[in-house]
Amino acid sequence: MKKIIIGFSGKAEAGKTTAANAFLEKLASRDLYDGIVPLAKKMKEQARYLGWNGEKDEKGRRFLQEVSWPIKHYLGEDIYAKWVLEDANRSYLNVILVDDVRMLAEVNYFKSLPKDEYEFVLVRIERPDHVSKLTPEQLADVSETQLDDYDFDYRVVNDGTIEELGDKLSEILTPRVIEVIRSY
């Protein structure tokens, strides 16, 4: 069966994981084998091993931003995307929601997958008027800025309730998911 990968991108605290969960809730009634596979899962596991306490406070977020670069330098900038796909394929998911796409290398990896096996859709979650808790240095980090000018498949404004966010996503993404699943 052809798989669809839906990536959620956006600034810190924009609601990427909330959006993925809200859309997953909408898909629940469709009898699809779907799930969220976070890009940062392995990075967070590595960070915990190195002493990160699991908090995304100022110190913790800076640590997370810095810990991934040596790994990416050694194994390739798309390594976390590759690990996501390995996890998803082991789970036999056909709708793969990736709730934290932040880097161009990750997007390019997902877009490079065989078109007869995978379709990749990238959604930008925007949260207007949100005041971030990140420091100016953290806001300027490449993980927060690299996709700012990217031409996303969809842009969704997160300015209401979680239910409303799920409805917005369902309206644009459910037809695409069904089309991909049925096309195979």
Side-chain angles (χ1 to χ4, degrees), residues 110-126:
F110 289 129
K111 285 186 163 255
S112 75
L113 296 171
K115 304 293 183 238
D116 60 331
E117 296 177 40
Y118 299 94
E119 180 166 332
F120 179 62
V121 177
L122 189 58
V123 180
R124 180 68 162 199
I125 304 298
E126 298 174 342

Side-chain angles (χ1 to χ4, degrees), residues 3-184:
K3 299 175 184 217
I4 183 166
I5 302 168
I6 301 173
F8 294 89
S9 181
K11 300 287 187 183
E13 305 167 353
K16 298 177 296 293
T17 300
T18 301
N21 281 314
F23 183 58
L24 187 64
E25 181 77 23
K26 298 293 180 180
L27 287 178
S29 65
R30 299 240 175 228
D31 239 3
L32 301 170
Y33 196 49
D34 47 31
I36 298 173
V37 185
L39 265 164
K41 178 182 174 190
K42 294 244 193 255
M43 179 185 56
K44 288 177 181 176
E45 289 171 1
Q46 294 158 348
R48 284 184 198 279
Y49 180 77
L50 294 171
W52 177 54
N53 65 3
E55 295 294 320
K56 285 189 180 178
D57 55 12
E58 182 179 339
K59 183 179 174 185
R61 198 171 283 276
R62 183 174 55 251
F63 185 73
L64 288 174
Q65 287 177 336
E66 293 175 2
V67 77
S68 70
W69 287 111
I71 295 161
K72 289 179 181 181
H73 178 75
Y74 186 73
L75 297 174
E77 289 186 42
D78 59 0
I79 189 61
Y80 292 110
K82 289 177 179 176
W83 285 337
V84 158
L85 192 62
E86 287 175 11
D87 285 351
N89 284 336
R90 271 194 299 275
S91 301
Y92 303 102
L93 299 175
N94 57 7
V95 180
I96 304 161
L97 306 180
V98 183
D99 68 347
D100 52 355
V101 179
R102 294 174 171 267
M103 307 300 293
L104 188 57
E106 298 159 356
V107 173
N108 290 339
Y109 173 75
F110 289 129
K111 285 186 163 255
S112 75
L113 296 171
K115 304 293 183 238
D116 60 331
E117 296 177 40
Y118 299 94
E119 180 166 332
F120 179 62
V121 177
L122 189 58
V123 180
R124 180 68 162 199
I125 304 298
E126 298 174 342
R127 192 170 171 195
D129 304 324
H130 175 70
V131 179
S132 177
K133 296 178 204 130
L134 274 64
T135 66
E137 295 81 21
Q138 291 168 331
L139 289 169
D141 188 81
V142 68
S143 67
E144 291 295 325
T145 62
Q146 192 170 68
L147 294 179
D148 282 354
D149 297 321
Y150 192 80
D151 185 21
F152 295 90
D153 296 303
Y154 302 100
R155 289 181 179 268
V156 175
V157 177
N158 179 11
D159 62 351
T161 67
I162 294 172
E163 179 73 21
E164 291 168 335
L165 180 60
D167 289 342
K168 288 178 186 180
L169 290 163
S170 184
E171 184 178 321
I172 60 173
L173 294 174
T174 301
R176 188 96 177 249
V177 167
I178 293 169
E179 176 185 328
V180 169
I181 301 300
R182 286 186 181 158
S183 71
Y184 194 75

